């Protein structure tokens, strides 16, 4: 065969005796063997026409332009102007076309290839790989096209179990990642969104569990054991949480998009499953509260809804509804039942008017409520930093304080103790123990972030506090001294990395800081804070002596992993921020990528850091860099749709891979003769290192971009799922459900014990590796 025409079988394949036109017996013209179709023996087709399984082949009765009527899947079909049999009406790319954030070419778009008419000269969108109606580069079970991945009859350059071509991937490099498909064995490090949900941290009446939201998940965390339960059901971020007085039920509301209804879920606490789904509010559920005997649930709509609804918990039906406040009074922000009656609940919000509660000339935004144990009065924390006391019977304002030294940035959380004392949290992070009526602080501590939740354990001998910086503190009432029991990033996590050869530690980076964690205990071991800048990528040096990091202010910083001390920083490493970084195995050089598309090589010494070379090929930000084990070569992925293999000894480009996607991640195979890519086209691409040729493409996601991968081999992305793939078969073996936000990165620990995944909601999830090593 002419090797210059061998598009998929490189010269390294000789000697080779399998799955090629030279196999005997063979009766086809090898010079035209581009499809290697299953019709080999006997062979009666005209080999000169055997290029695309064309309609001139006789006998052939399928998928030809002569089969009237025919609307099949090759560009030669007449009377065919679209890409799927369901063409009319069809205005998008796949069945998931209600998703409009996928590629910039989506709208308006009426087809998938340049042969589609009408087309208007626009570039093609992502090459489709889906089961029912594939185009070129497709994975199809019955009729493969060019470069097809076909289970029964593979083409050349396909890694196949029974008959591998170029150096094979053997079973010793097993490639499964993960966890149980029925119930992911995972543990959540974060409580990121507790800080953004008012009163989102709740101590259960059994005194053994904490309840808080994380994205669109409600987490039940044991206080005595390292155990968590995940309640899944919401389709968007949870905005409020409540627990019934008996502890039998939980309730949670969510936010959604304009014009859609926001759901409320009632959960059976014992069974850890939904008891009912309530849908009447629009856009957002602001707050929920149970009546004292669990008979009723009251829910408060957000600003776009403005209604308060009373629900029967047993029948899961609405009893009645009403506007939450008068039109002139603004929208209500909080709701609570009184303690001893089913007949009264209280809402609070903006501009309390004399027509509702007699507050005279006072106009306040009420942020939190607390009811006295005997229901004689209730207390309102306000955004101006004072507390209003209102008589429950005559609805008159009794007192307002403190008159001086109000709580800075408003009262954000309020709890009333059995002793009559108040625990007051403020927006400046101070937690105060106060006594009425002047609300002067008896004890006060400073916490990290605005205090958004205070929940009492039992009678209040112990209580928990949640802050806007994703911290959970435990207090003992007599000492009034904080003990941090849980922490996480409060912003999107951009990267995760393990040190070389150990699974005990890992590091994550986000806005303002880098954190080092202990894998099994979930404890934060080190926090490196750099205020007002975002860390985009991190890497442990192989010798373990430093952590290198890439920042959006254009600097590369290196820290000691023991103390977090700054070792050195490279000023102006990239003009538009450093977006990716990697280090060679000998710890002498760094490779960095920037928002300007440049790839730069740095020489790292004990006293100085020197720029060796700057390479400019990418047109957009570099999103990922991976180095080969020989330290001579690296591959970079960029959002310009290109992956480039660089020679970092001669500083030249060796190969370039182009695809219609924004590449997010790239990984070398352990044997380094192939690499895989992922991006916004939802595909996982397999490529040859030698010549950059495409091997195959797999559907990695149904709804979102694939943002992170790690070999053995895994994928993750905007559909919030962690998927496990068999590398050679190209099949999903398991799917992990746990994240509420888009997954940004994941890593398999070096000893294959755990998988750590991080997401844009600030959560860190640890998954158990279930397969024997």
């Amino acid at each position: 065969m002419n090797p210059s025409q061998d598009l998929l079988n490189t010269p390294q394949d000789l000697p080779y005796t399998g799955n090629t036109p030279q196999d005997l017996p063979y009766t086809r013209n090898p010079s035209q063997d581009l499809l290697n179709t299953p019709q080999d023996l006997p062979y009666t087709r005209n080999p000169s026409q055997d290029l695309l399984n064309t309609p001139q082949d006789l006998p052939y009765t399928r998928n030809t332009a002569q089969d009237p009527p025919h609307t099949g899947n090759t560009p030669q079909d007449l009377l065919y102007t679209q890409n799927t049999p369901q063409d009319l009406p069809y205005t998008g790319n796949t069945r998931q076309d209600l998703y409009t954030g996928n590629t910039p070419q989506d709208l308006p778009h009426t087809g998938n290839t340049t042969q589609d008419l009408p087309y208007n000269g626009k570039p093609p969108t992502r090459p489709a790989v889906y089961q029912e109606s594939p185009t070129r580069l497709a994975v199809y079970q019955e009729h493969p096209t060019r470069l097809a991945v076909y289970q029964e009859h593979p083409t050349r350059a396909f890694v196949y179990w029974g008959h591998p071509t170029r150096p094979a991937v053997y079973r010793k490099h097993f490639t499964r990642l993960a966890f149980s498909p029925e119930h992911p064995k995972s543990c959540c490090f974060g409580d990121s969104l507790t800080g953004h949900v008012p009163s989102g941290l709740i101590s259960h009446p059994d005194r053994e569990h904490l309840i808080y939201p994380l994205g669109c998940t409600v987490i039940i965390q044991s206080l005595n054991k390292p155990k968590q339960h995940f309640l899944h059901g919401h389709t968007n971020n949870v905005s409020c949480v409540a627990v019934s007085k008996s502890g039998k039920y939980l309730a949670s509301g969510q936010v959604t998009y304009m014009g859609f209804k926001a759901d409320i879920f009632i959960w059976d606490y014992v069974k850890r499953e939904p008891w009912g789904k309530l849908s009447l509010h629009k856009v957002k559920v602001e707050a929920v509260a149970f009546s004292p005997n669990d008979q009723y649930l009251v829910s408060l709509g957000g600003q776009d809804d403005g209604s308060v609804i009373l629900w029967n918990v047993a029948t899961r039906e609405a009893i009645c509804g009403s506007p939450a406040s008068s039109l002139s009074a603004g929208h209500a922000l909080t709701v609570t039942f009184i303690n001893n009656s089913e007949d009264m609940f209280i809402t609070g919000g903006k501009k309390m008017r004399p027509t509702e509660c007699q507050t005279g000339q006072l106009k306040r935004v009420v942020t939190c409520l607390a009811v006295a144990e005997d229901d004689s009065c209730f207390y309102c924390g306000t955004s101006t930093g004072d507390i209003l006391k209102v008589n429950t019977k005559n609805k008159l304002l009794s007192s307002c304080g403190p008159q001086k030294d109000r709580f800075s940035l408003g009262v954000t959380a309020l709890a009333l103790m059995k002793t009559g004392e108040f625990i007051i949290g403020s927006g400046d992070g101070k937690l105060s123990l106060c006594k009425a009526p002047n609300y002067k602080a008896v004890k006060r501590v400073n916490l990290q972030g605005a205090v958004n939740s205070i929940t009492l354990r039992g009678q209040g001998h112990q209580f928990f506090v949640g802050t806007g910086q994703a911290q959970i503190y435990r207090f003992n009432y007599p000492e009034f001294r904080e003990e941090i029991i849980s922490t996480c990033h409060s912003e999107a996590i951009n990267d995760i990395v393990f040190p070389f050869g150990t699974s005990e530690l890992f590091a994550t980076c986000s806005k303002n800081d880098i954190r080092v964690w202990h894998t099994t205990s979930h404890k934060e071991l080190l926090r490196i804070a750099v205020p007002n800048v975002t860390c985009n990528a991190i890497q442990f040096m192989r010798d373990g002596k430093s952590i290198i990091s890439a920042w959006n202010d254009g600097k590369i910083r290196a820290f000691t992993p023991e103390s977090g001390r700054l070792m050195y920083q490279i000023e102006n490493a990239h003009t538009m921020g450093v977006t990716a970084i990697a280090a060679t195995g000998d710890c002498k050089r760094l490779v960095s990528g920037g928002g300007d598309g440049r790839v730069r090589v740095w020489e790292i010494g004990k006293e100085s850091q020197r720029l060796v070379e700057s390479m400019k090929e990418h047109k957009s930000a570099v999103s990922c860099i991976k180095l080969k084990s020989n330290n001579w070569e690296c591959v970079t992925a960029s959002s310009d749709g290109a992956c480039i293999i660089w020679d970092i000894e001669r500083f030249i480009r060796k190969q370039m891979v182009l695809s219609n996607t924004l590449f997010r991640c790239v990984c070398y195979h352990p044997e380094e003769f192939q690499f895989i890519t992922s991006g916004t086209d939802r595909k996982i691409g397999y490529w040859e290192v030698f010549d950059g040729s495409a091997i195959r493409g797999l559907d990695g996601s149904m709804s979102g971009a694939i943002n992170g991968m790690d070999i053995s081999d895994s994928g993750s992305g905007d559909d919030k799922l962690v998927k496990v793939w068999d590398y050679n078969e190209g099949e999903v073996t398991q799917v992990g459900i746990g994240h509420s936000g888009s997954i940004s990165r994941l890593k398999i620990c070096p000893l294959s014990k755990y998988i750590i995944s991080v997401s844009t909601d600030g959560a860190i999830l640890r998954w158990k590796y279930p397969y024997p090593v």
Side-chain angles (χ1 to χ4, degrees):
M1 187 174 179
N2 184 356
S4 65
Q5 295 178 353
D6 188 8
L7 300 181
L8 289 175
N9 203 9
T10 63
Q12 284 71 16
D13 284 338
L14 300 177
Y16 183 75
T17 61
N19 201 17
T20 69
Q22 289 77 14
D23 295 341
L24 296 177
Y26 191 72
T27 61
R28 298 179 63 173
N29 184 352
S31 64
Q32 303 296 332
D33 186 18
L34 298 181
L35 271 179
N36 204 8
T37 59
Q39 294 84 8
D40 284 352
L41 293 175
Y43 188 69
T44 60
R45 300 172 64 176
N46 183 357
S48 64
Q49 303 295 329
D50 187 18
L51 297 179
L52 277 175
N53 205 5
T54 60
Q56 289 80 8
D57 298 337
L58 295 176
Y60 190 68
T61 60
R62 183 184 172 200
N63 199 19
T64 70
Q66 288 75 15
D67 297 341
H70 184 65
T71 58
N73 69 344
T74 67
Q76 289 75 15
D77 294 339
L78 300 180
L79 302 177
Y80 184 69
T81 61
Q82 293 276 351
N83 202 31
T84 68
Q86 298 82 11
D87 280 337
L88 295 176
Y90 186 71
T91 60
N93 206 24
T94 67
R95 291 175 298 172
Q96 293 79 20
D97 269 351
L98 291 179
Y99 180 86
T100 60
N102 201 29
T103 67
Q105 293 82 5
D106 277 354
L107 293 175
H109 187 62
T110 60
N112 201 35
T113 68
T114 53
Q115 288 77 13
D116 295 339
L117 296 175
Y119 192 73
N120 298 325
K122 294 184 180 179
T125 62
R126 50 190 179 278
V129 183
Y130 60 100
Q131 296 296 321
E132 295 183 6
S133 181
T135 59
R136 291 178 294 278
L137 293 171
V139 180
Y140 194 53
Q141 298 298 323
E142 297 178 1
H143 191 81
T145 58
R146 288 188 295 268
L147 290 174
V149 179
Y150 192 54
Q151 297 296 327
E152 297 179 3
H153 194 82
T155 58
R156 291 184 294 276
F158 173 53
V159 180
Y160 191 64
W161 281 108
H163 197 117
T165 59
R166 274 190 291 274
V169 182
Y170 294 106
R171 290 182 183 271
K172 65 180 180 180
H173 297 295
F174 73 98
T175 57
R176 286 184 290 270
L177 164 143
F179 33 76
S180 166
E182 293 85 10
H183 184 71
K185 298 178 181 178
S186 62
C187 182
C188 178
F189 283 61
D191 57 294
S192 170
L193 287 189
T194 4
H196 303 291
V197 178
S199 302
L201 178 65
I202 300 175
S203 176
H204 193 271
D206 65 6
R207 306 185 185 185
E208 295 181 359
H209 294 88
L210 285 178
I211 297 153
Y212 55 86
L214 178 63
C216 53
T217 305
V218 178
I219 295 178
I220 303 174
Q221 178 173 320
S222 174
L223 290 170
N224 302 321
K225 303 176 183 177
K227 190 175 182 181
Q228 294 170 326
H229 292 276
F230 298 84
L231 304 181
H232 300 286
H234 288 287
T235 57
N236 211 319
N237 288 338
V238 176
S239 56
C240 55
V241 181
V243 179
S244 64
K245 197 170 184 178
S246 66
K248 183 179 179 182
Y249 298 109
L250 310 179
S252 56
Q254 71 171 62
V255 297
T256 186
Y257 302 102
M258 186 66 68
F260 292 86
K261 291 185 177 180
D263 296 329
I264 300 170
F265 276 86
I266 301 178
W267 307 90
D268 187 310
Y269 177 76
V270 176
K271 295 181 179 180
R272 307 289 202 267
E273 62 184 27
W275 167 255
K277 180 181 176 181
L278 316 175
S279 300
L280 276 181
H281 291 292
K282 297 177 182 178
V283 184
K284 181 181 181 181
V285 181
E286 192 75 52
V288 290
F290 283 98
S291 63
N293 64 1
D294 300 354
Q295 185 176 354
Y296 304 116
L297 174 74
V298 61
S299 60
L300 188 63
Q303 184 173 5
D304 299 292
D305 182 84
S307 63
V308 58
I309 299 175
L310 187 67
W311 306 84
N312 187 309
V313 174
T315 62
R316 288 153 283 189
E317 294 178 351
I319 299 174
C320 60
S322 172
S325 58
S326 64
L327 295 177
S328 62
H331 71 282
L333 299 175
T334 182
V335 63
T336 185
F337 266 92
I338 61 175
N339 292 318
N340 302 305
S341 173
E342 303 287 308
D343 301 330
M344 183 183 295
F345 60 86
I346 305 161
T347 63
K350 290 186 178 180
K351 301 179 183 177
M352 293 180 67
R353 297 286 183 148
T355 54
E356 296 175 339
C357 288
Q358 301 297 325
T359 60
Q361 298 300 314
L362 281 177
K363 298 178 182 179
R364 294 288 187 268
V365 178
V366 177
T367 55
C368 49
L369 293 167
V371 182
E373 188 175 6
D374 58 2
D375 294 336
S376 60
C377 62
F378 61 92
Y379 300 87
C380 309
T382 70
S383 61
T384 51
D386 51 8
I387 297 173
L388 312 181
K389 179 182 179 181
V390 181
N391 189 293
T392 307
K393 294 182 180 180
N394 57 23
K395 316 299 187 296
L396 294 176
L397 177 66
S398 299
S399 63
C400 176
Q403 298 300 323
K404 297 181 180 180
D405 299 325
R406 293 179 180 174
F407 297 97
S408 179
L409 300 182
V411 177
T412 53
L414 181 63
L416 183 58
M417 306 291 289
K418 296 285 186 181
T419 59
E421 295 174 306
F422 294 88
I423 302 174
I424 301 172
S426 56
D428 62 350
K430 290 185 173 64
L431 187 75
S432 305
L433 181 65
C434 305
K435 292 184 178 181
N438 57 7
Y439 304 103
K440 185 177 181 180
V442 179
K443 297 179 181 180
R444 178 172 288 172
V445 294
N446 291 321
L447 306 178
Q448 294 183 16
V451 178
N452 285 342
S453 302
I454 301 173
T455 180
L456 305 182
R457 187 180 188 184
Q459 299 300 314
H461 67 286
Q462 195 176 77
F463 59 92
F464 300 91
V465 177
T467 73
Q469 291 296 320
Q471 313 272 91
I472 298 179
Y473 296 91
R474 176 166 49 201
F475 284 78
N476 288 320
Y477 176 73
E479 294 86 9
F480 207 76
R481 184 178 301 169
E482 75 273 19
E483 174 195 357
I484 189 166
I485 61 171
S486 181
T487 182
C488 199
H489 296 280
S490 58
E491 302 284 345
I493 302 174
N494 298 320
D495 202 4
I496 172 179
V497 63
F498 280 91
F500 176 74
T502 179
S503 302
E504 295 299 316
L505 308 173
F506 66 92
T508 56
C509 67
S510 180
K511 184 178 180 181
N512 299 326
D513 59 23
I514 297 170
R515 304 192 190 192
V516 179
W517 306 86
H518 188 258
T519 305
T520 54
S521 67
H522 320 153
K523 298 296 184 182
E524 178 186 314
L525 303 178
L526 176 67
R527 183 181 304 185
I528 304 169
V530 185
N532 303 319
V533 287
T534 299
C535 183
N536 294 318
I538 51 174
Q539 183 78 44
F540 280 100
M541 296 294 275
R542 193 180 182 98
D543 58 10
K545 294 181 179 180
S546 62
I547 302 172
I548 56 172
S549 54
W551 298 80
N552 69 343
D553 61 353
K555 297 179 181 179
I556 296 174
R557 294 178 171 91
F559 303 92
T560 59
E562 296 88 1
S563 63
R565 178 181 59 85
L566 180 66
M567 297 176 63
Y568 61 83
Q569 69 179 16
I570 302 175
E571 303 282 348
N572 303 315
H574 291 271
T575 56
M576 298 175 64
V578 189
T579 55
I581 197 165
T584 58
D586 58 10
C587 303
K588 294 181 179 180
R589 291 190 297 173
L590 303 180
V591 182
S592 64
D596 53 3
R598 297 183 185 275
V599 177
R600 289 179 169 171
V601 181
W602 306 84
E603 188 178 86
I604 305 300
K606 293 183 178 180
E607 302 296 333
S608 63
Q609 301 79 42
R610 182 176 66 90
L611 175 63
V612 178
E613 188 65 38
S614 179
M615 299 172 287
K616 175 63 173 174
E617 291 277 355
H618 289 296
K619 307 300 182 185
S620 188
V622 179
S623 55
C624 188
I625 301 174
K626 291 294 169 64
L627 283 163
K628 242 184 175 180
S629 59
N630 60 13
N631 298 327
W632 299 344
E633 183 180 296
C634 74
V635 60
T636 59
S638 171
S639 55
D640 62 359
C643 275
I644 299 178
I645 300 175
W646 302 92
D647 185 323
I648 56 175
E649 291 291 324
R650 297 180 295 165
F651 308 109
I652 60 172
R653 184 188 75 192
K654 297 180 67 175
Q655 296 293 341
M656 176 183 284
V657 168
L658 296 174
S659 183
N660 190 25
T661 182
L662 308 180
F663 282 119
R664 298 284 179 83
C665 189
V666 62
C667 288
Y668 277 111
H669 185 271
E671 292 187 355
E672 298 180 342
F673 59 84
Q674 295 176 358
F675 66 93
I676 57 174
T677 60
S678 65
T680 55
D681 63 350
R682 314 175 188 174
K683 304 292 188 293
I684 298 175
Y686 287 58
W687 310 86
E688 287 285 358
V689 171
F690 177 77
D691 58 3
S693 59
I695 300 174
R696 58 174 167 175
L698 303 175
D699 267 332
S701 169
M702 297 296 290
S703 61
I706 303 175
N707 300 325
M709 296 189 300
D710 195 21
I711 289 224
S712 263
D713 175 44
S714 61
S716 61
D718 287 343
D719 59 1
K720 306 170 187 176
L721 302 175
V722 176
K723 293 185 178 180
V724 186
W725 298 81
D726 185 289
Y727 185 93
N728 299 299
E729 299 294 341
E731 297 177 352
V732 177
T733 59
Q734 292 185 355
V735 177
I737 302 173
H739 279 284
S740 301
S742 297
I743 302 171
S744 51
R745 283 288 188 267
L746 59 82
K747 280 289 186 295
I748 304 171
C749 73
L751 302 181
S752 296
K753 292 182 179 180
Y754 309 106
I755 301 95
I756 308 293
S757 55
V758 298
S759 56
T760 55
D761 59 5
I764 305 171
L765 265 63
R766 175 170 62 91
W767 307 84
K768 184 177 180 181
Y769 201 105
Y771 300 106
V773 180

